[in-house]
Amino acid sequence: MVTQPTTLDARYELLERLEDARRRTDELFRIVREEALYDRPIAERHRIIFYIGHLEAFDWNLLRERLIDAPTFSAEFDKLFSFGIDPVDGGLPTDQPADWPTLEQVRRYVSQVREAINKGLSCATAREFTEETLLNVAIEHRLMHAETLAYMLHQLSFDRKVAVALRPVAVARVLQHEMVRIPEGQATLGLPRCPGHAFGWDNEFEEQTHAVPPFQIDKYEITNGQYLEFLAAGGYENRNLWTDGDRQWKSEHNISHPVFWIAKDGAWFLRTMFNEIPLPLNWPVYVSHAEASAYAKWAGKSLPSEAQWHRAAYGTPQGAEREYPWGSEAPTARRGNGDFKSWDPAPVDASPDGQSAFGVQDLIGNGWEWTSTLFAPLPGFEPFPFYKGYSADFFDGKHFVIKGGSPRTAACMLRRSFRNWFQPHYQYVYAGFRCVKN
């Protein structure tokens, strides 16, 4: 069990973390040229202007009556910017730029709300569990958007962004792709519901243990180079590799390659955040669940279940389970490519110090990993009373669990119990995969 600091110490730490999370998202909006703030880079998502207002509106709606007891500035904006969207079954938003408030109005609202929250929190009386939980929700919600905004802005035209300094692309090394045998053992998912434990979202409770039979798993995530072999072998045209629903999606949307790939002059390039580069063959491929599943079937394998992924990542030959694949130390750049250290992936073998007890590498950061597990509640699930739809709205049999984290995932969400989820036909998230077989 993780011991929390004293209430006063925790409160100051949380306020500092909230301010740091604000800096993260403020920096993201600054890379968008002002004339592009009403663009919609991904058809399934709101226009960028929504997210400028949403982050403050979420904090305001969450904290205003529960912690700081302040009057609202604009009930209209509180509602307008309250919730994002995740359309399923092909439904897309149809709003136009003129339907949204002006940038000046939105920025004024953001400034007023942030100032009121700061003032209110500085005067609020500490409310032990309630305050810590609410502030953690505000912080991690914003940090989640720091990642989702990144992959959304990734699809924005280069001329609509202000480029930042980039690191050089690592020289490709020859990889020995192999599978690692994982002996039977247990995998513990979730967190125990007990006083003083570290923060977790509602879907992280309660802790449960699975018995996992022996299996084999890829040592590394599937690379662009490996996926290129699947594409060259006609993987997208082979009907037998795709479910009926995946095949229909692929046909209706003319899906013929990963969304981050660009075919040009007879060669493949990768669209990074700020430029196009020759396809790095040893970087993890980012694809939808449907594309990952088709590859796995082509390879005669399958995607791991959530429990199998946990067993490979956190289990040990001795039976004990680790906090992280490498042990108990907090994530660092040597352990994996996460916590906003990079805009791009790294080679899948770039962080050997982050390997698990079984020798499986690149599990934390560098790209979320799809599992075959549908997102569903753990036994004992109870929705947050102040955010009932956070998880429950997505227990619909249409979303799959992803694990591990990406280069743009905050360190606090690289924890073992964190569960992320997406629809199977969503290509834009920084998510890759590895395969298993019995």
Side-chain angles (χ1 to χ4, degrees), residues 375-392:
F375 183 56
L378 300 178
F381 169 80
E382 296 177 9
F384 282 156
F386 49 83
Y387 197 175
K388 292 185 177 180
Y390 170 72
S391 299

Side-chain angles (χ1 to χ4, degrees), residues 7-8 11-12 15 63 66-69 119-132 134-135:
T7 300
L8 191 59
R11 187 164 182 268
Y12 286 138
L15 293 177
L63 303 174
R66 296 180 178 92
L67 284 185
I68 60 181
D69 193 25
K119 182 178 179 180
L121 290 177
S122 68
C123 299
T125 302
R127 296 168 176 83
E128 297 188 15
F129 177 77
T130 301
E131 182 180 49
E132 291 185 19
L134 291 174
L135 286 176

Side-chain angles (χ1 to χ4, degrees), residues 270-300:
L270 186 74
R271 180 189 183 90
T272 67
M273 179 63 88
F274 299 108
N275 61 356
E276 294 175 8
I277 61 174
L279 186 68
L281 299 182
N282 59 351
W283 286 12
V285 65
Y286 289 165
V287 291
S288 66
H289 185 275
E291 292 165 299
S293 297
Y295 175 97
K297 190 170 184 179
W298 171 76

Side-chain angles (χ1 to χ4, degrees), residues 46-220:
H46 275 310
R47 297 178 185 278
I48 298 168
I49 189 68
F50 164 82
Y51 298 96
I52 297 176
H54 171 65
L55 295 171
E56 250 57 49
F58 179 91
D59 292 353
W60 186 237
N61 291 330
L62 176 71
L63 303 174
R64 184 174 65 84
E65 293 184 353
R66 296 180 178 92
L67 284 185
I68 60 181
D69 193 25
T72 188
F73 300 102
S74 171
E76 177 188 0
F77 280 17
D78 294 348
K79 181 178 181 180
L80 177 66
F81 293 113
S82 57
F83 292 108
I85 50 176
D86 182 31
V88 295
D89 300 327
L92 297 176
T94 59
D95 57 276
Q96 299 300 312
D99 297 329
W100 292 91
T102 66
L103 181 58
E104 181 183 359
Q105 289 174 309
V106 177
R107 284 176 170 168
R108 185 186 310 120
Y109 172 76
V110 167
S111 178
Q112 289 175 318
V113 166
R114 191 174 292 191
E115 182 179 352
I117 289 175
N118 288 347
K119 182 178 179 180
L121 290 177
S122 68
C123 299
T125 302
R127 296 168 176 83
E128 297 188 15
F129 177 77
T130 301
E131 182 180 49
E132 291 185 19
T133 300
L134 291 174
L135 286 176
N136 269 301
V137 165
I139 292 163
E140 292 203 359
H141 169 266
R142 187 176 287 267
L143 290 171
M144 289 177 197
H145 274 292
E147 178 166 1
T148 59
L149 280 166
Y151 73 67
M152 190 172 81
L153 299 183
H154 203 124
Q155 300 303 316
L156 193 64
S157 299
F158 298 133
D159 62 356
R160 309 289 274 174
K161 293 180 284 194
V162 179
V164 300
L166 302 174
R167 66 176 186 180
V169 176
V171 176
R173 296 183 292 274
V174 176
L175 284 177
Q176 183 65 42
H177 295 292
E178 58 186 281
M179 301 197 82
V180 176
R181 175 161 291 280
I182 309 297
E184 66 178 338
Q186 69 176 26
T188 302
L189 311 185
L191 293 168
R193 196 184 302 279
C194 59
H197 203 283
F199 170 76
W201 290 86
D202 55 9
N203 67 73
E204 296 177 59
F205 298 97
E206 283 194 9
E207 185 179 87
Q208 63 170 290
T209 300
H210 292 259
V212 182
F215 65 98
Q216 296 180 65
I217 190 167
D218 287 324
K219 182 176 182 177
Y220 306 110

Side-chain angles (χ1 to χ4, degrees), residues 204-323:
E204 296 177 59
F205 298 97
E206 283 194 9
E207 185 179 87
Q208 63 170 290
T209 300
H210 292 259
V212 182
F215 65 98
Q216 296 180 65
I217 190 167
D218 287 324
K219 182 176 182 177
Y220 306 110
E221 288 181 276
I222 299 301
T223 63
N224 287 319
Q226 290 173 287
Y227 201 83
L228 188 59
E229 295 175 8
F230 163 72
L231 188 147
Y236 278 80
E237 292 75 43
N238 187 337
R239 294 173 58 86
N240 296 327
L241 300 178
W242 305 79
T243 67
D244 290 344
D246 294 347
R247 193 162 52 244
Q248 180 180 351
W249 162 76
K250 186 169 60 70
S251 175
E252 289 180 353
H253 297 275
N254 197 28
I255 306 297
S256 60
H257 57 80
V259 74
F260 294 93
W261 289 19
I262 300 166
K264 189 167 60 175
D265 300 327
W268 286 104
F269 290 76
L270 186 74
R271 180 189 183 90
T272 67
M273 179 63 88
F274 299 108
N275 61 356
E276 294 175 8
I277 61 174
L279 186 68
L281 299 182
N282 59 351
W283 286 12
V285 65
Y286 289 165
V287 291
S288 66
H289 185 275
E291 292 165 299
S293 297
Y295 175 97
K297 190 170 184 179
W298 171 76
K301 304 173 186 178
S302 61
L303 298 181
S305 68
E306 185 178 7
Q308 285 177 317
W309 196 93
H310 265 254
R311 173 69 179 148
Y314 305 112
T316 65
Q318 296 76 28
E321 293 179 273
R322 294 174 170 180
E323 194 68 24

